[in-house]
Amino acid sequence: MWLKPEEILLKNAFKLWVTEKDNEYFVLQRRRGYGEGGGGLTGLLVGTLDTVLDSTSKVAPYRILHYTPDSQVYWSIACGVTREEIIQHWDWLQQNIMRTLSVFDSSEDITSFVQGKIRGLIAEEGKSSLVLEDDPEKFREALLRFEKWFELPPQEKLVTYYSCSYWRGKVPCQGWLYLSTNFLCFYSYLLGSEVKLVISWDEIWRLEKTSNVILTESIHVLAHGEDHYFSMLLHLSETFVIMEQLADYAIKRLFDKEAFQRVPALSDPLQITKRGLEAHTKSEQFQTFFRLPKEENLLEVHESYLWVPFSNHNTLGKICLSENYLCFASQDGSQCHVVVPMREVISVEKTDSSSRAIMVCVRGKRALRFSEVRDFQRLANTVRSRCGISASPQHSGSSEGIRGECQSLINHFEDNPEDVTLMVGQKDSSKAVSTEALMTVFHPQDVENLDPKMLKEKMKEQSWNIHFSEYGRGTSMFFTRKTRDLIVRGVPESLRGELWMLFSGAVNDMATHPGYYTELVEQSLGTSTLATDEIERDLHRSLPEHPAFQSDTGISALRRVLTAYASRNPKIGYCQAMNILTSVLLLYAKEEEAFWLLVAVCERMLPDYFNRRIIGALVDQAVFEDLIRENLPQLVEHMTDLSFFSSVSLSWFLTLFISVLPIESAVNVVDCFFYDGIKAILQLGLAVLDYNMEALIVCNDDAEAVTVLNKFFDNVTNKDSPLPPTVQQAPVSNNDKASHISVDICELIREAYEKYGHIRSEDVESSRKRNKLYVIQTLEDTTKQNVIRVVSQEVRLNVSHLDELYNLFKRQHFLCCYWTMNSPALLHHDPSLAYLEQYQLGFQQFSVLFSLLEPWAFCTSKSTLSLWVFRLIDENQDGLINFKEFCCALDTFYSGSFTNKLKFLFKLHLPPAFTGSPLHLKEQSLQEFIPLTEDSSPFSKLSAFDLPEDGVIRKSPERGRGKVDLQTYLKQWQNEILRKEETIKDLPRINQSQFIQFSKTLYNIFHGDPEEETLYRAVAHVTSLLLKMEEVGRRLQEPSSPPEATKPARTTTPAAVEESSTTEEASTTPESSDTCSSHSNQEAVSNLTHTEWSFSFEQVLASLLNEPTIVSFFERPVDIQTKLGKARATQLKLTASK
């Protein structure tokens, strides 16, 4: 690797370096302790020095220096990990530089020329890969160490690195922590003791910052059941954030199959940078805080003051700018923020250059004044360009004229409100879509009703109207502490839908997608899928006590919304609990609004909640457990097992308490959720447990605790609800109502905010990321234990071996997904399938792993034999191998009897495994093996296996796009149950070409064995004996003598086959046997008669049993543990060498 020329001092360096080559201007040196004569005390000291100190010149074992004869100054210009690498650089200098240097007169000119040439080479190399790094030269040095120490595939992208200590027990090892796209790596070398650690991000269970007596602050990593601690980091918080980002990136890419199409910095795993990760994290925080669509990226941040008219003062904060939104959040504790869509901006003015202020005018007679903006001119121009406002001379010259234009435009919109709708981009809804909230249809408010509850409702409406007049109304309203206070007191029935749309950000989604919902409804209605079947089943279970869902109006609206969402997001489709949530949304929002509210909940506010594994809900339950430990220590002391709260609170999170509270109370919880997100649900959950603390502590079992909580929820009321009794939900049980004091929902929510309002949303998000790793790995471990339990009943491998095999199998699946985005192999992982089918390998993945584990080294990863083995064990011929099929094949090789092993090899040369004849075997190898890409199936070229439209090969009928074919499923299940044990008599006979290839396979297996020659002779003897037996059998069966023309040919048959099986195969290696098998088979067949002959398995078995050397070879025990250990150590290196 070429290095930026640096002057070095050689006064004391000769003790560490040995000169190997030199000439008039360059010298090539080798580090002491490396290469020939290395080791000893010198090697230990030099190795320790190389690891601890951060200098490539001390790490690379070879280097090239430049000097001139009349100067004592040396310049380092190149280094290399291997001798071959440094020799290439040396030869290049000899061929391209040495002749040129003779034309220079002075040594200064020579040195300047060499330095300029080397810098040019470095710039050319770093055009693509290092352009985004903060310090390209230093990063090159770290990359050199990373590649040398860990030998990972060259495409693995190093993101960043840190100096730190790794604790082995109570002893710290000083070294270097390297964070790459797919791996966490650590290296340390201290006085001969080498510590090397490589952990995949997708294998990490825990990632957290910890502290104890010994370690004041450290990073704890849990993987493979082992704890790893890293400390003494100069920037520990920064390191932890990067590690958290990389782990989250791996989980989303490999488990969630997210492609990051809208995030260019993360769309290619080969180009991930620290800067790109940080930018993506900031964008996610920006989207979450301001409830913006996922398409929005944080582009600019400006510190400024915002004039807040309701307080008559400037508040300090930050302007955050994205593609379509201008947002502001205060930093002075006022909890004030505002979101301004660019579509609402009508003008941008630079009002006062001295105060560096700009004025942003929006619809509705509103203007926002930002002052003390450092780069206010560029900000104004940026906002103008994104709003489509031209920066004409009048813009900067005549502020009065602009104000007049703004005022006239505002007056126009006030007089013609329909123009606002058209300008926003909304279209008239289809007549099939309901345009009214169901509550207004089934419970219209009586204006003349003056009962106390209605009066209270009117007072709430008046409070909100006053709030709107002060803080604004609509998308650019100010959000402050007062807004939250009004939410806690309760939202008026008439404003609930509007405020839900505003707080959730759904109002922006709907405004930017006019007509989208209507199109979805038209496309999805009438379709029949698994999702629509589940929706139809649950329609009448959604708030059945409410009059709106006892009529076709409500049911039809609910059907349209759920079906449209299933069509929009097939990844989620439909999940139980979505019907309950959507029912409540339809009560207070119009149908299209309810759809966009559902989108906001499922895709932004409650990510990963509504899928088959409900990972998001499980993650939030883990967050809830952490908060219980922090805030309710008394409860934790009496109930050490907090998993009870996870099980009982699942419905709280999935339905936002709607399923456990009366509807009139539950809507108040939904109000808080749309304003504060999941934080509001967590706070309320803590308040519920706190309220019932004494009763829960004295409970003897879980059932009693569940009863306590159910009775509590039955007695939660909303004393201010104006809904009539026909709409309100009746309590489940009234028997013991007298003994329980009713609790008002507003009081409960207020108490939750007072006691637990200190919980920060940022801490909740951080806890979510931390717990997501553990939840996913727990689910993966459950899958593994279930698979091993099933497979252990079918094979003789013990549980520990199966555990290691499963880890290798799963890792092989992910290895081909590490360095490509949207790898087809990701389709082979489907968590919604049965446990055995969740991880499956295609041919290329299988061939690599099988070549590492099979005991005889006869199947290389690029062998047609691997293809035949793959076909043989792929029982349902879908082009994928599951773990059970894989283990059954290995179990036969490891623990099977001689007969079973021979039967496997025999079947390997019969269809469907072996489909070629000697005449076109070469053609088969070229057509069916060579064209396969890394992730493709060997059957992609075969007409017998047609892929579905989406490219996913499905084993079970329930995974298809259409309705579930239960009869097909039951028939498949019955066939598996009634499958008979195959006997040797059931095997078909093996023909000429198959037998010849069978003999070649035996030679491949025996190649390299100490008794190779003896085994070869035994196979030749068996081959000759079988052919002679076949010839004698044919003669005995023939009624008369054969024609003269065929006699010579028949007598040469055994010799021809024996010659083909001995002379040629004895010189064939396992690697070359497959390439020459076609040629050898053609020679053998050319000497055969036109009369076909064949052998049964019994004949082959009986003949081989007579050869003790062959029997003892196949019955030789296999050291499974050693084999697994070597595979584990080689798996990644084999991928690196591909």
Side-chain angles (χ1 to χ4, degrees), residues 281-299:
T281 301
K282 289 178 180 178
S283 291
E284 281 190 327
Q285 294 171 348
F286 168 68
Q287 295 161 9
T288 302
F289 183 82
F290 292 108
R291 304 283 166 76
L292 298 179
K294 288 188 176 181
E295 295 81 6
E296 298 301 313
N297 295 301
L298 181 61
L299 303 178

Side-chain angles (χ1 to χ4, degrees), residues 209 240-241 244 281-282 284-291 329-331 335-337 484 620 623 627 630 676-680 682-683 756-771:
K209 287 193 287 187
F240 177 75
V241 168
E244 196 175 51
T281 301
K282 289 178 180 178
E284 281 190 327
Q285 294 171 348
F286 168 68
Q287 295 161 9
T288 302
F289 183 82
F290 292 108
R291 304 283 166 76
S330 66
Q331 293 180 297
Q335 298 180 8
C336 170
H337 72 272
R484 178 180 281 115
D620 283 342
V623 175
L627 292 174
E630 295 173 11
D676 275 320
I678 194 62
K679 173 176 173 283
L682 295 168
Q683 290 175 176
Y756 308 108
H758 62 274
I759 298 173
R760 298 170 63 244
S761 298
E762 294 83 356
D763 295 335
V764 171
E765 290 300 321
S766 177
S767 183
R768 271 180 162 179
K769 288 184 178 180
R770 182 176 66 253
N771 283 288

Side-chain angles (χ1 to χ4, degrees), residues 924-981:
Q924 173 198 3
S925 175
L926 291 173
Q927 290 182 353
E928 296 186 10
F929 177 73
I930 294 176
L932 298 177
T933 61
E934 181 178 353
D935 304 308
S936 62
S937 162
F939 303 105
S940 59
K941 298 289 182 180
L942 302 180
S943 58
F945 298 92
D946 296 325
L947 294 178
E949 293 179 4
D950 55 359
V952 183
I953 304 174
R954 296 180 171 88
K955 289 192 172 184
S956 303
E958 72 270 16
R959 296 304 299 160
R961 291 190 174 189
K963 297 176 68 174
V964 179
D965 189 347
L966 295 177
Q967 290 185 349
T968 304
Y969 184 81
L970 291 173
K971 186 176 180 180
Q972 176 183 327
W973 186 29
Q974 184 182 19
N975 290 337
E976 292 179 358
I977 294 174
L978 299 179
R979 187 185 303 162
K980 294 182 180 179
E981 184 69 26

Side-chain angles (χ1 to χ4, degrees), residues 598-816:
L598 184 64
V599 169
V601 171
C602 294
E603 298 176 15
R604 291 200 302 270
M605 303 185 72
L606 296 179
D608 297 326
Y609 259 62
F610 301 101
N611 54 40
R612 295 189 179 275
R613 297 206 294 178
I614 56 171
I615 289 176
L618 297 176
V619 169
D620 283 342
Q621 284 183 304
V623 175
F624 188 48
E625 286 187 19
D626 292 343
L627 292 174
I628 292 174
R629 292 187 184 93
E630 295 173 11
N631 296 280
L632 302 174
Q634 187 179 355
L635 188 61
V636 175
E637 290 177 6
H638 289 80
M639 301 183 71
T640 54
D641 183 13
L642 298 182
S643 60
F644 160 74
F645 296 112
S646 294
S647 59
V648 77
S649 65
L650 180 61
S651 62
W652 304 358
F653 292 96
L654 282 174
T655 66
L656 308 180
F657 284 90
I658 296 171
S659 62
V660 294
L661 286 174
I663 185 64
E664 67 274 8
S665 301
V667 290
N668 286 44
V669 179
V670 179
D671 296 338
C672 299
F673 166 76
F674 277 123
Y675 190 82
D676 275 320
I678 194 62
K679 173 176 173 283
I681 305 300
L682 295 168
Q683 290 175 176
L684 185 61
L686 291 174
V688 168
L689 296 181
D690 188 18
Y691 194 94
N692 294 277
M693 176 89 70
E694 295 180 1
L696 290 173
I697 288 175
V698 298
C699 288
N700 297 316
D701 53 33
D702 292 351
E704 192 174 342
V706 170
T707 302
V708 169
L709 292 174
N710 286 340
K711 289 181 178 179
F712 170 77
F713 287 129
D714 289 343
N715 288 276
V716 174
T717 62
N718 187 347
K719 61 183 181 180
D720 296 332
S721 174
L723 298 180
T726 56
V727 173
Q728 295 188 14
Q729 183 177 338
V732 177
S733 59
N734 295 318
N735 297 332
D736 300 329
K737 191 168 183 179
S739 60
H740 287 80
I741 302 174
S742 63
V743 181
D744 183 63
I745 186 63
C746 293
E747 291 297 320
L748 186 63
I749 291 174
R750 185 184 56 77
E751 187 176 341
Y753 272 92
E754 287 180 356
K755 286 189 175 182
Y756 308 108
H758 62 274
I759 298 173
R760 298 170 63 244
S761 298
E762 294 83 356
D763 295 335
V764 171
E765 290 300 321
S766 177
S767 183
R768 271 180 162 179
K769 288 184 178 180
R770 182 176 66 253
N771 283 288
K772 185 175 182 179
L773 293 173
Y774 185 78
V775 167
I776 286 181
Q777 296 297 355
T778 301
L779 292 172
E780 290 292 307
D781 190 63
T782 302
T783 298
K784 178 173 75 171
Q785 298 305 325
N786 281 284
V787 170
I788 291 175
R789 188 179 68 251
V790 172
V791 175
S792 62
Q793 299 173 7
E794 305 286 335
V795 299
R796 283 152 290 197
L797 297 167
N798 62 43
V799 174
S800 63
H801 291 159
L802 286 173
D803 188 280
E804 290 196 49
L805 269 176
Y806 186 89
N807 292 334
L808 289 169
F809 189 87
K810 178 180 172 182
R811 193 181 198 192
Q812 190 64 43
H813 160 77
F814 281 128
L815 278 177
C816 68

Side-chain angles (χ1 to χ4, degrees), residues 135-425:
D135 189 345
E137 182 61 31
K138 199 168 184 181
F139 195 83
R140 282 165 56 87
E141 299 175 0
L143 183 60
L144 179 70
R145 295 194 301 270
F146 177 70
E147 293 174 348
K148 170 194 169 187
W149 286 335
F150 302 108
E151 300 178 319
L152 294 172
Q155 60 265 41
E156 179 65 16
K157 178 68 171 65
L158 177 64
V159 176
T160 188
Y161 61 99
Y162 299 95
S163 173
C164 71
S165 291
Y166 170 64
W167 290 80
R168 301 180 71 185
K170 297 182 179 180
V171 180
C173 303
Q174 183 65 31
W176 291 91
L177 177 68
Y178 295 88
L179 308 179
S180 66
T181 305
N182 299 294
F183 300 98
L184 179 155
C185 306
F186 177 83
Y187 185 86
S188 173
Y189 186 87
L190 187 63
L191 298 178
S193 176
E194 183 182 57
V195 178
K196 187 184 294 185
L197 188 67
V198 179
I199 301 174
S200 301
W201 294 114
D202 57 272
E203 298 171 341
I204 292 179
W205 284 63
R206 288 282 189 193
L207 180 62
E208 55 192 354
K209 287 193 287 187
T210 60
S211 60
N212 54 41
V213 177
I214 300 176
L215 305 175
T216 54
E217 198 172 16
S218 63
I219 297 175
H220 171 223
V221 177
L222 173 62
H224 298 298
E226 298 181 4
D227 293 297
H228 307 278
Y229 292 91
F230 302 92
S231 66
M232 300 184 186
L233 286 145
L234 187 61
H235 306 288
L236 188 137
S237 295
E238 175 192 311
T239 308
F240 177 75
V241 168
I242 294 293
M243 292 170 73
E244 196 175 51
Q245 291 167 352
L246 285 168
D248 186 59
Y249 176 66
I251 291 296
K252 287 181 178 178
R253 189 164 61 90
L254 300 176
F255 289 97
D256 299 342
K257 303 180 181 62
E258 189 171 329
F260 296 94
Q261 295 177 349
R262 301 187 183 98
V263 189
L266 302 184
S267 60
D268 184 1
L270 304 183
Q271 300 297 329
I272 299 299
T273 62
K274 177 181 172 184
R275 187 181 303 173
L277 286 168
E278 290 173 346
H280 176 62
T281 301
K282 289 178 180 178
S283 291
E284 281 190 327
Q285 294 171 348
F286 168 68
Q287 295 161 9
T288 302
F289 183 82
F290 292 108
R291 304 283 166 76
L292 298 179
K294 288 188 176 181
E295 295 81 6
E296 298 301 313
N297 295 301
L298 181 61
L299 303 178
E300 297 179 18
V301 178
H302 300 267
E303 193 169 276
S304 74
Y305 286 90
L306 172 64
W307 173 256
V308 284
F310 49 86
S311 300
N312 291 320
H313 76 281
N314 286 312
T315 181
L316 176 65
K318 288 186 177 180
I319 300 172
C320 301
L321 199 66
S322 70
E323 291 87 348
N324 299 296
Y325 297 89
L326 184 150
C327 308
F328 177 87
S330 66
Q331 293 180 297
D332 58 1
S334 62
Q335 298 180 8
C336 170
H337 72 272
V338 62
V339 179
V340 181
M342 297 293 188
R343 64 179 185 273
E344 297 288 329
V345 177
I346 55 178
S347 74
V348 180
E349 305 174 33
K350 291 178 284 188
T351 57
D352 186 1
S353 300
S354 60
S355 61
R356 295 176 295 181
I358 64 171
M359 181 82 74
V360 178
C361 299
V362 297
R363 294 193 185 94
K365 293 185 178 181
R366 302 214 29 238
L368 303 174
R369 184 179 185 275
F370 301 97
S371 59
E372 301 300 327
V373 183
R374 178 174 298 178
D375 200 351
F376 73 102
Q377 291 185 349
R378 186 168 71 89
L379 175 61
N381 293 332
T382 302
V383 176
R384 282 195 193 118
S385 64
R386 296 201 172 276
C387 296
I389 303 172
S390 60
S392 59
Q394 290 88 355
H395 246 103
S396 55
S398 176
S399 60
E400 290 297 327
I402 290 175
R403 288 193 181 94
E405 291 177 10
C406 293
Q407 187 61 45
S408 63
L409 188 60
I410 290 170
N411 294 336
H412 170 75
F413 282 122
E414 285 184 340
D415 298 334
N416 303 276
E418 67 278 2
D419 288 2
V420 178
T421 305
L422 293 175
M423 194 164 184
V424 171

Side-chain angles (χ1 to χ4, degrees), residues 870-918:
F870 182 85
R871 286 173 173 165
L872 178 61
I873 65 179
D874 182 16
E875 295 180 359
N876 57 1
Q877 299 183 353
D878 66 345
L880 298 172
I881 298 296
N882 63 36
F883 184 66
K884 179 181 176 182
E885 294 167 337
F886 186 79
C887 286
C888 287
L890 282 181
D891 184 59
T892 301
F893 287 161
Y894 288 163
S895 309
S897 63
F898 173 73
T899 302
N900 287 335
K901 292 176 182 177
L902 192 65
K903 185 169 72 171
F904 187 95
L905 295 174
F906 188 85
K907 291 170 65 177
L908 200 61
H909 299 83
L910 296 171
F914 180 84
T915 58
S917 66

